[in-house]
Amino acid sequence: MEKFIVNGGRPLAGTVRIGGSKNAVLPVMAAALLTGEKCVIRGVPRLSDVAAMEDILESLGASVKWDKRAGVITIAADGRLLPEASYELVSRLRASFQITGPLLARTGSVKIPMPGGCAIGTRPVDLHLKGLAALGAEIEQEHGFVRAKARRLEGAKIYLDFPSVGATENIVMAAVLARGQTVLENSAVEPEIVDLANFLNSAGADIRGAGTDTIKVNGVKELRATDHTIIPDRIEAGTFMVAAAVTGGDVTLTNVVCDHLKPVIAKLKEANVSVSETAKGLRVCGAKGGAAVASDIKTLPYPGFPTDMQAQFMALLATARGTSIVTETVFENRFMHVGELKRMGADIKIDSRSAVLEGVGRLMGAQVRATDLRAGAALVLAALGASGATEIDDIYHIDRGYCQLDQKLQSLGADIRRVNDGA
């Protein structure tokens, strides 16, 4: 097992390029199953989650070629696809459930285990199944598997009880090859939804309204080959923005879409951190006067403050002047990093779905463990601003969503090393 050793106290400085979005590329890869023609996907980050999705698609019968150096994946699902995914592969990746809609639309049946992923709370797939059933699928759940069958999917009017990103993506992908029009109301509006719709439309789909709460899909008979570039990762961008703030640094981010980062930018400015758009990119400088100030955060679906940035902001607020309150409304078990931050000297009290942070001025290095992807990123940020050395175990969580995080931080002047735990 590998771990990070971080010696904190160094202000980050320089320029860093943000990679393609993990949360956009995974559903786009799944959507490639909808056509028998070749799909080229560019701007693909080198992540273990992407490798897991590659294995899943290949196990179903698709051909996947990944040029990691160029960041290009070519997928050709031109043969007979198997309608069943293995538990061993699916359990590695929550986003694996996104193959359900495409497989059902393409083959007429699918059997898939309930998905895995980070243990940050219950993420039921009932909304996915409700939507697929509305399109005409017969759904059965037994022994940890979901079975869905349909001779031909039919367009329908569907209302989501909650604007679930995964359910929106799965239903839209299934509706692309359904007969007639599908109207999806109270849909998720995340940028990743828009990116998926752009990919599908470039392949011949007819999707309108992506990015709003009502999406209309007019079914088509088939999709064709396409070439698509993935949007930048707004969560990676937000993580590096907070890294600059935590260390009192001066970092410029390139390959970012500022509109996707509005809530993060707003909260950083509220915390007395300087954020500005320049000709080179998005520049983030440490708080004026040397310390961030307290700020309250409440996670919400986009365009609200992203739950995937909650842990990273805690690393900043733990040392901010004053009292901050962080309220988590999306996942009920997303405070697992709190205990690890307290090992580093943070003063945090949890009350149900809220955490109260009293700024302590500075954290101290300690031995901690990444409990999930974003919690791991938060511990890296906390370590960068802490005094002394911090050892972070179980960093395989971090590799699921950050491409070469240690190397990018090193390029900005951080003292961070990846070492083998047995060395």
Side-chain angles (χ1 to χ4, degrees), residues 215-230:
I215 299 176
K216 294 181 180 179
V217 183
N218 293 303
V220 297
K221 288 185 178 181
E222 60 184 10
L223 297 183
R224 58 177 179 266
T226 190
D227 191 313
H228 178 77
T229 300
I230 295 294

Side-chain angles (χ1 to χ4, degrees), residues 241-293:
M241 293 168 73
V242 176
V246 164
T247 63
D250 184 349
V251 176
T252 297
L253 286 68
T254 63
N255 192 40
V256 294
V257 179
C258 293
D259 279 352
H260 297 172
L261 294 164
K262 284 181 178 180
V264 175
I265 292 171
K267 283 300 176 181
L268 281 174
K269 288 182 176 180
E270 191 176 298
N272 199 32
V273 176
S274 173
V275 184
S276 58
E277 292 185 52
T278 71
K280 292 183 178 179
L282 190 63
R283 184 181 181 189
V284 183
C285 299
K288 304 162 190 173
V293 297

